[in-house]
């Protein structure tokens, strides 16, 4: 969806160009952290009984499930401490 006019897009690009690379990286990092926090909150609202390992797996899948094959996801999960690909995680992948 893109509901921004070309004029506003140009103005936003010009405004962002005024920031240093460090400032732009800081902004992007902050937005990513906020997105991750919102995903966590949403997951816990859906299922309050998730433990930390299950949350880690679900957050990972929300962000990256379409970027990797099922085999790659299993491999990544096996290397990340405390990540639990439980039944819900596996169902999301159609494992």
């Amino acid at each position: 969806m893109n509901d921004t006019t070309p004029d506003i897009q140009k103005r936003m690009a010009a405004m962002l160009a005024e920031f240093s690379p460090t400032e732009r990286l800081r902004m992007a990092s902050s937005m990513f952290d906020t997105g991750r926090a919102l995903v966590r909150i949403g997951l816990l609202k859906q299922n309050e009984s998730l433990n930390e390992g299950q949350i880690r797996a679900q957050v990972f899948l929300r962000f990256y499930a379409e970027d990797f094959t099922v085999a790659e996801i299993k491999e990544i999960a096996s290397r990340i401490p405390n990540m639990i690909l439980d039944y819900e995680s596996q169902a999301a992948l159609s494992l």
Side-chain angles (χ1 to χ4, degrees):
M1 179 175 127
N2 184 357
D3 59 356
T4 307
T5 65
D7 179 53
I8 296 298
Q9 286 179 342
K10 288 178 188 175
R11 289 171 60 186
M12 279 296 296
M15 183 183 76
L16 290 173
E18 293 177 9
F19 290 109
S20 71
T22 301
E23 290 169 320
R24 289 194 301 268
L25 179 60
R26 189 175 293 123
M27 289 170 59
S29 178
S30 176
M31 287 186 274
F32 180 82
D33 290 346
T34 299
R36 187 177 55 216
L38 290 171
V39 167
R40 270 183 79 86
I41 290 166
L43 289 168
L44 288 170
K45 279 192 168 208
Q46 288 177 346
N47 185 349
E48 295 177 1
S49 66
L50 291 175
N51 65 39
E52 189 59 35
Q54 292 167 318
I55 293 169
R56 288 184 78 168
Q58 291 292 321
V59 169
F60 175 80
L61 292 174
R62 290 276 176 100
F63 279 90
Y64 305 112
E66 295 182 15
D67 297 327
F68 299 103
T69 66
V70 171
E72 290 170 328
I73 289 171
K74 287 181 176 182
E75 176 66 22
I76 291 166
S78 73
R79 294 171 183 254
I80 296 177
N82 303 320
M83 182 183 283
I84 301 169
L85 283 177
D86 60 2
Y87 175 77
E88 287 182 32
S89 302
Q90 294 180 24
L93 291 171
S94 302
L95 300 178

